[in-house]
Amino acid sequence: MKGSPALLTDQYELTMIGAALRDGTAHRPCVFEAFARRLPHGRRYGVVAGTGRLLEMIMDFRFRADEVAWLQEQGIVDAEAAQWLTAYRFTGDIDGYAEGELFFPGSPILTVSGTFAECVVLETLILSVLNHDAAVAAAAARMVTAARGRPIIEMGSRRTHEEAAVAAARAAYLAGFASTSNLAAGLRHGVPTAGTAAHAFTLLHDDEPTAFASQLAASGTQTTMLVDTYDISQGIRNAIAAAGPGLRAIRIDSGDLSVLAAQSRALLDELGAPDVKIVVSGDLDEYAIAALAAEPVDAYGAGTAVVVGSGAPTAGLVYKLVEVAGRPVVKRSENKATVGGRKTAVRRHKPTGTATEEIVFVRSAPTPEPGDRTLSRPLIRAGALVDGLPTLEESREHLRAALVSIPWEGLKLSVGDPAIPVTVLTT
Amino acid sequence: MKGSPALLTDQYELTMIGAALRDGTAHRPCVFEAFARRLPHGRRYGVVAGTGRLLEMIMDFRFRADEVAWLQEQGIVDAEAAQWLTAYRFTGDIDGYAEGELFFPGSPILTVSGTFAECVVLETLILSVLNHDAAVAAAAARMVTAARGRPIIEMGSRRTHEEAAVAAARAAYLAGFASTSNLAAGLRHGVPTAGTAAHAFTLLHDDEPTAFASQLAASGTQTTMLVDTYDISQGIRNAIAAAGPGLRAIRIDSGDLSVLAAQSRALLDELGAPDVKIVVSGDLDEYAIAALAAEPVDAYGAGTAVVVGSGAPTAGLVYKLVEVAGRPVVKRSENKATVGGRKTAVRRHKPTGTATEEIVFVRSAPTPEPGDRTLSRPLIRAGALVDGLPTLEESREHLRAALVSIPWEGLKLSVGDPAIPVTVLTT
């Protein structure tokens, strides 16, 4: 039912290729860049996310015969363009920020070099993957900061497109979430999975003690019991009566979570179950998580807010042609502060390790100073993945370290400016 | 790379099935319902969307051998559950509102009947598909209302997950959009596709007249020329000089679209090109479209806002167990106005055809009055699709007619209450 990634493309890319093949410009060497003109309102950083799965899809980006036939039948491409599409594979170079790197307005996070035609055809796929995954990762990173070390389980699959859910689980894990409820994310991306029971399981049984006994018989005491189907206090009593004080955790999914967490902790302690952990869930975003910081909560479940980017469902990345045959180009009709020419970037740091600014070099090699970290790195060379690209675990660690390096104001949840400025050097 | 739809599932569905298989409750006959407790803030209606592609995926919902092996290896399911998953296919019944039907808080839009295990395993997939597609369709329907008959092209693929983009294009077309830029939506779902050229095409060429000449040579005059790469007035002059007054359209993608549309119309008329149409795009949502109603615009391109649901990126649908072995069940620990028991619904209308309310019958057959329209209809029977399910075109017409039937206040863009009330009859 699903096709190749090649049709996840806007039609105008192919009509442009058709015209450019006729007039010969299709083969001009070009450089395209993906960057954000601005961050979503009030956000202090963006997170590069999706690179790993994007690069895989670029390697798989082939037009199938039936797809090309359909395009020709529809009059979208002519015979010459159809032939070109059939033979297509990306043979150019891609450089970019590491997955898990932070970005700011103007950061050149992905640079694609090759012929016009081979680069422009990737536009939609590149932007779809990065805009989605970066939006989720940025929201997730803010939640991880708000959780102050307590683990967060991603459980938002049901609130977003079924395939977006898998990518969202991956992006949330990249950003420091502990696990996901999404099984495909476990199998495809190695994200740890979690999940025990829903209210339906309790309702299915004749009463709550029977449901809990059944869960225990199947999973043992290293399970989480959902205690708010009927009365929460009674639910906790039933859970401890069934499992004893060795139960791993209870989960509360509704009501005033601050009050309920404190009451539940007191009750568990009173029942002689001080080691039973408390998991809370139910429409948690970064602000709700921050508000629970002082409560006796051991783990959070986050759903809707993380998968829809907590108010910023897309990262606002664009993909622009910046160089044609060695000449910088730029759209000039409006006030968008875009600079033509291929760019590379370094991040400057104090001796203490705190980042101070990002320097973007236009059409010149970076001249790093002590404490500079080069951000742009090779990802694809002559159509092949470079060796040693980071794993998802390594990207996760990269982001953790990058977040530690920005000034502390950059981690505040409140509306503010980008954590560090980006300086563009055009000389 | 992609698996079957079966792993697009939350882990707890499988751990519940494992426990329920052990204790025998997995086979209890159950009824689950999908509904919204409320509409997104200020919205006056919801739109049922995604049903067509959901039903297809339910027919394909099979656990592959490698998926089951992985689940067992991870300790998520035991041998008995693994065997059950391997043999799984849905054999129950599904009823629901037609795709393209409106819904309101409490409307029972999908009812799934079968054993507990076979129904609960579909929970995540059902909610992912309906929550995403309904969110896009509702935003798109508001834009279509705001456009007052002018066509809208969906061009938001790059702002959302690459597969969500295909579903979004389908949902926008369902809601009355004229076409999409997304090629996969054309091939998979038959949505008309559109697209001609981006700014990159002009930048690729030595100058704008050369770019326009190339586009014309490839596409003829029935094309749309993007005129705002450099100076818009000069761009329009170049377009008409190249194509003559028979050009189909120009597109403006930046700047103050109201002012530019009027100026462009005047210039085109002055150049003797009164039939050349004006397409505008660039961050249009339903409010921006409404604000352009008085301007000489012929068509809109809408991107980001439609694919992210224009402020409401998920529809808030939930999937709840409402009946077990003929007994109504309901979670009781909180103040959610949920009623147990299987439901069916009719919509009541005045003799003029205007809808007045929706009546939900709980555990009883509807008793329709004159002017009532039965909303719940059979979709799957004993695991097989019923004959004659509507095509996407038919669903599109269904929604068009449904929108005409609600009171006119229901179509206002401003924040308000649901267009009609839902009355639940529990007797």
Side-chain angles (χ1 to χ4, degrees):
Chain A
M1 187 182 67
K2 295 223 165 49
S4 71
L7 279 209
L8 302 172
T9 293
D10 289 314
Q11 176 167 311
Y12 74 4
E13 288 152 30
L14 302 196
T15 49
M16 287 192 279
I17 288 170
L21 283 169
R22 278 175 179 245
D23 74 16
T25 56
H27 310 295
R28 289 190 172 174
C30 285
V31 180
F32 284 81
E33 279 176 358
F35 60 94
R37 291 205 178 87
R38 64 196 76 82
L39 296 176
H41 176 68
R43 291 287 180 88
R44 295 159 188 258
Y45 59 83
V47 174
V48 177
T51 320
R53 60 185 204 91
L54 171 64
L55 294 176
E56 253 184 59
M57 279 194 283
I58 290 175
M59 302 313 291
D60 287 341
F61 200 96
R62 302 277 189 285
F63 290 86
R64 289 190 327 221
D66 64 305
E67 293 171 338
V68 175
W70 177 81
L71 290 166
Q72 219 178 330
E73 210 176 280
Q74 298 289 310
I76 295 167
V77 298
D78 63 12
E80 186 186 3
Q83 199 176 6
W84 186 89
L85 294 178
T86 302
Y88 180 78
R89 50 173 298 154
F90 181 69
T91 65
D93 294 342
I94 299 185
D95 295 77
Y97 284 29
E99 184 162 14
E101 188 54 81
L102 303 180
F103 68 87
F104 304 96
S107 297
I109 71 168
L110 202 77
T111 307
V112 182
S113 327
T115 67
F116 174 78
E118 72 178 340
C119 295
V120 81
V121 76
L122 298 177
E123 174 173 7
T124 309
L125 184 69
I126 287 173
L127 290 176
S128 292
V129 171
L130 298 182
N131 271 323
H132 174 268
D133 290 17
V136 174
R142 286 161 58 85
M143 294 182 195
V144 169
T145 298
R148 303 188 185 185
R150 291 173 179 170
I152 316 179
I153 308 162
E154 187 281 309
M155 38 175 78
S157 294
R158 61 192 56 200
R159 303 301 189 162
T160 187
H161 180 278
E162 69 278 8
E163 282 291 338
V166 185
R170 181 185 179 281
Y173 183 67
L174 169 74
F177 273 46
S179 56
T180 179
S181 62
N182 188 289
L183 291 170
L187 179 56
R188 289 192 214 163
H189 301 301
V191 179
T193 62
T196 54
H199 298 115
F201 187 75
T202 301
L203 294 173
L204 168 68
H205 289 83
D206 297 335
D207 52 39
E208 195 173 55
T210 312
F212 288 171
S214 169
Q215 184 178 338
L216 274 174
S219 306
T221 56
Q222 288 313 292
T223 191
T224 299
M225 285 185 168
L226 182 61
V227 294
D228 66 342
T229 304
Y230 304 116
D231 176 80
I232 294 184
S233 297
Q234 189 56 48
I236 291 172
R237 289 176 195 280
N238 289 341
I240 300 304
L247 178 66
R248 184 179 59 194
I250 60 156
R251 177 160 77 98
I252 309 170
D253 185 49
S254 51
D256 181 330
L257 296 174
S258 322
V259 173
L260 293 174
Q263 287 177 353
S264 300
R265 181 74 273 156
L267 179 55
L268 285 166
D269 292 351
E270 185 193 313
L271 294 171
D275 298 329
V276 175
K277 299 202 181 307
I278 298 177
V279 183
V280 298
S281 57
D283 287 331
L284 293 179
D285 61 12
E286 60 269 48
Y287 306 104
I289 290 172
L292 288 164
E295 305 304 333
V297 167
D298 298 288
Y300 301 98
T304 309
V306 66
V307 300
V308 302
S310 199
T314 185
L317 296 165
V318 296
Y319 182 77
K320 295 295 172 188
L321 178 59
V322 296
E323 236 175 81
V324 178
R327 160 180 68 90
V329 296
V330 63
K331 177 173 180 296
R332 264 170 294 184
S333 73
E334 52 181 306
N335 248 341
K336 289 173 180 171
T338 308
V339 179
R342 165 195 281 275
K343 299 167 201 70
T344 49
V346 303
R347 191 164 298 153
R348 196 141 286 177
H349 298 80
K350 290 191 215 175
T352 56
T354 302
T356 54
E357 68 178 321
E358 202 163 299
I359 315 282
V360 174
F361 296 85
V362 181
R363 297 170 57 77
S364 64
T367 47
E369 299 183 2
D372 280 3
R373 191 155 60 79
T374 302
L375 298 170
S376 316
R377 44 178 80 184
L379 302 172
I380 288 183
R381 281 294 170 268
L385 293 177
V386 304
D387 288 336
L389 288 175
T391 63
L392 180 58
E393 290 293 339
E394 287 164 349
S395 300
R396 190 169 188 255
E397 175 53 29
H398 188 106
L399 174 56
R400 203 200 54 73
L403 283 169
V404 169
S405 76
I406 58 172
W408 70 269
E409 302 88 355
L411 296 178
K412 285 168 69 177
L413 298 182
S414 56
V415 168
D417 291 326
I420 58 171
V422 176
T423 305
V424 179
L425 297 183
T426 49
T427 47
Chain B
M1 189 181 66
K2 296 224 165 46
S4 70
L7 279 210
L8 302 172
T9 293
D10 289 314
Q11 175 168 311
Y12 74 7
E13 288 150 31
L14 302 197
T15 49
M16 287 191 279
I17 288 170
L21 283 168
R22 279 174 179 248
D23 73 16
T25 55
H27 309 294
R28 288 190 174 176
C30 284
V31 180
F32 284 82
E33 279 175 357
F35 61 94
R37 292 206 177 87
R38 65 195 77 83
L39 297 176
H41 175 67
R43 291 287 180 86
R44 293 159 190 258
Y45 58 84
V47 174
V48 177
T51 321
R53 61 185 203 91
L54 171 64
L55 295 177
E56 253 183 58
M57 279 194 283
I58 290 175
M59 302 313 291
D60 288 343
F61 200 98
R62 303 277 187 286
F63 290 85
R64 289 190 327 222
D66 64 306
E67 293 171 339
V68 175
W70 177 80
L71 289 166
Q72 217 176 331
E73 210 175 279
Q74 298 290 310
I76 295 167
V77 298
D78 63 12
E80 184 184 5
Q83 198 175 8
W84 186 89
L85 294 177
T86 302
Y88 179 77
R89 49 173 301 155
F90 181 69
T91 64
D93 295 342
I94 300 186
D95 295 77
Y97 284 30
E99 184 162 12
E101 187 56 81
L102 304 180
F103 69 86
F104 304 95
S107 297
I109 72 168
L110 202 79
T111 307
V112 181
S113 327
T115 67
F116 174 77
E118 70 177 343
C119 296
V120 82
V121 77
L122 298 177
E123 172 173 8
T124 309
L125 184 68
I126 287 173
L127 289 177
S128 291
V129 172
L130 297 182
N131 270 323
H132 174 267
D133 290 17
V136 174
R142 286 162 57 86
M143 294 183 194
V144 169
T145 298
R148 302 189 187 185
R150 292 173 178 170
I152 316 181
I153 308 163
E154 186 281 309
M155 37 176 77
S157 294
R158 62 192 54 200
R159 303 301 188 162
T160 187
H161 180 277
E162 69 278 7
E163 282 291 338
V166 185
R170 181 186 181 280
Y173 183 67
L174 168 76
F177 273 45
S179 57
T180 179
S181 62
N182 187 289
L183 291 170
L187 179 56
R188 288 191 216 164
H189 301 301
V191 178
T193 61
T196 55
H199 297 115
F201 188 75
T202 300
L203 294 173
L204 169 68
H205 289 83
D206 298 335
D207 52 37
E208 195 174 56
T210 312
F212 287 172
S214 169
Q215 186 177 337
L216 274 173
S219 306
T221 56
Q222 289 310 294
T223 189
T224 299
M225 285 185 168
L226 183 60
V227 294
D228 66 342
T229 304
Y230 303 115
D231 176 80
I232 294 183
S233 295
Q234 190 56 48
I236 291 173
R237 287 175 198 279
N238 289 341
I240 301 305
L247 178 66
R248 184 179 58 194
I250 60 156
R251 176 159 76 99
I252 308 169
D253 185 48
S254 51
D256 182 329
L257 297 174
S258 319
V259 172
L260 293 174
Q263 286 177 352
S264 300
R265 181 75 272 156
L267 178 56
L268 285 166
D269 292 352
E270 187 192 313
L271 294 171
D275 297 330
V276 176
K277 298 200 182 308
I278 297 176
V279 183
V280 298
S281 57
D283 287 329
L284 294 178
D285 63 11
E286 60 269 48
Y287 305 104
I289 291 172
L292 288 164
E295 304 306 332
V297 168
D298 298 289
Y300 301 98
T304 309
V306 66
V307 300
V308 302
S310 199
T314 187
L317 296 165
V318 296
Y319 182 77
K320 295 294 171 190
L321 177 60
V322 296
E323 237 175 80
V324 177
R327 158 180 70 89
V329 296
V330 64
K331 176 174 180 298
R332 262 170 295 185
S333 70
E334 52 181 307
N335 245 342
K336 290 172 178 170
T338 307
V339 179
R342 166 194 281 274
K343 299 167 201 70
T344 50
V346 302
R347 192 164 296 152
R348 196 141 286 178
H349 299 79
K350 289 191 215 174
T352 57
T354 302
T356 54
E357 68 177 322
E358 203 163 298
I359 315 281
V360 174
F361 297 85
V362 181
R363 311 188 81 229
S364 63
T367 47
E369 299 185 1
D372 280 3
R373 190 156 62 78
T374 302
L375 298 169
S376 315
R377 43 179 79 183
L379 300 172
I380 287 183
R381 281 292 171 270
L385 293 177
V386 303
D387 288 336
L389 288 176
T391 63
L392 180 57
E393 291 292 338
E394 287 165 348
S395 299
R396 191 169 187 253
E397 176 53 29
H398 188 105
L399 175 56
R400 203 200 54 73
L403 283 169
V404 169
S405 76
I406 57 172
W408 70 269
E409 302 89 353
L411 295 179
K412 285 168 68 176
L413 298 182
S414 56
V415 167
D417 291 326
I420 57 172
V422 175
T423 305
V424 179
L425 297 183
T426 47
T427 47

